[in-house]
Amino acid sequence: MGASRIQGITVEIGGDTTKLTAVLKGVNGEIRTTQSQLRDVNNLLKLDPGNTELLAQKHRLLAEAVRETKEKLETLKAAAEQANEALAKGEITQEQYDGLQREIIETEVIYVYNGGSPNGTSYGANGGGNGYNYASSKQYGAGGGGSTHVATKPYGLGTNSSSGPSYANRSSILIVAGGGGGGGIDNGTAHKGGDGGGERGGNGSGGALGGRQISTGSSPSENFGMGDYYSSSSAASSGGGGGWFGGNYGMYGQSGAGGSGYVDGVAPFTHNGKYYPAETEAGVNEGNGRAFIRYVECA
């Protein structure tokens, strides 16, 4: 999409006039290469999380990704200044100018979607699964909590939109805080839902599997972003929590499982003498996933 947005726009850099697509070709290639290497390192870290060489490579690649994105953004903003004058002179069209502005927005904007708390058997927004009560059997379910996520694309996690953070576009997702699974009651015995977050969400009381870093279903994309739910009203059920991969549902008064967390493309940093690692923590979230955001200037 990026190349088509800025097609035909020229910029002057160091006295030379050239097409913006040609100027950005190099940095876009660097960004793609860095992201590919990051995915490879992250996949290996799932097998060996404490490998110091891989962790060092990840930190270096994250720093490179920040530098490359900053370089691209500076080039785009310089082009935008020239584009203002070019538009006034009629040298570019309004469509070209608007496309450049969209390219800048996509490069610098991130989207934060808060997970919703479930309400009874109703799911929590952003990926929680529905629950169902079956009073005649004295079995009761609850909805799963939604996840909170940060991404470079809009819309809810797991959306089917081709422009949203779907399984196909999962590289646009930076952080996911998994939501907890719905609780259950079986003949007066209460069962707590599986916790959300971490590499692996907490299991439900009856053995429902928590979300992992890959799908536990029959296809690679199954349960991506969405807690599972039982689609029939023939028995009590509790929904899974939303997450990178959602938790599975619980049946017959047993609780649902929590969704997994996820971190990628986020650099660790030190602020006021405290080190903040880029990692996801298990056993924390009951109900919906949460995010605490503050602006920090880092050197």
Side-chain angles (χ1 to χ4, degrees), residues 17 38 82 126 130 135 156 159-160 180 198 276 283:
T17 301
L38 268 172
Q82 297 178 36
N126 206 26
N130 280 320
T159 177
N160 290 324
Y276 293 84

Side-chain angles (χ1 to χ4, degrees), residues 40-239:
D40 187 34
V41 169
N42 283 327
N43 287 334
L44 292 172
L45 279 171
K46 291 171 186 177
L47 302 175
D48 188 5
N51 188 293
T52 55
E53 172 60 27
L54 290 174
L55 289 170
Q57 287 188 28
K58 180 172 182 176
H59 293 169
R60 176 177 56 77
L61 288 167
L62 287 170
E64 289 180 9
V66 171
R67 176 189 60 77
E68 291 160 359
T69 302
K70 183 179 180 181
E71 179 184 341
K72 178 178 179 179
L73 187 58
E74 289 173 348
T75 302
L76 288 170
K77 287 187 173 181
E81 292 180 4
Q82 297 178 36
N84 289 327
E85 184 177 349
L87 179 64
K89 293 180 177 179
E91 295 173 352
I92 63 171
T93 66
Q94 185 68 51
E95 182 180 4
Q96 288 175 310
Y97 180 84
D98 291 345
L100 174 58
Q101 296 303 317
R102 291 195 298 273
E103 187 71 11
I104 292 173
I105 289 170
E106 183 177 66
T107 304
E108 67 180 354
V109 171
I110 63 171
Y111 300 87
V112 181
Y113 279 71
N114 289 321
S117 295
N119 182 12
T121 57
S122 297
Y123 63 85
N126 206 26
N130 280 320
Y132 188 77
N133 293 327
Y134 205 74
S136 62
S137 298
K138 298 182 180 180
Q139 295 172 335
Y140 303 89
S147 66
T148 291
H149 78 274
V150 180
T152 58
K153 290 183 179 293
Y155 307 114
L157 189 61
T159 177
N160 290 324
S161 170
S162 61
S163 57
S166 62
Y167 180 77
N169 293 329
R170 59 193 182 280
S171 61
S172 68
I173 300 168
L174 305 176
I175 302 173
V176 180
I185 299 176
D186 180 15
N187 284 284
T189 301
H191 300 285
K192 176 179 171 292
D195 291 325
E199 293 276 328
R200 173 174 171 170
N203 291 341
S205 58
L209 294 176
R212 308 291 204 267
Q213 296 302 294
I214 59 174
S215 175
T216 59
S218 57
S219 71
S221 61
E222 188 170 339
N223 288 11
F224 179 76
M226 310 291 288
D228 204 3
Y229 65 94
Y230 187 56
S231 59
S232 173
S233 59
S234 61
S237 61
S238 295

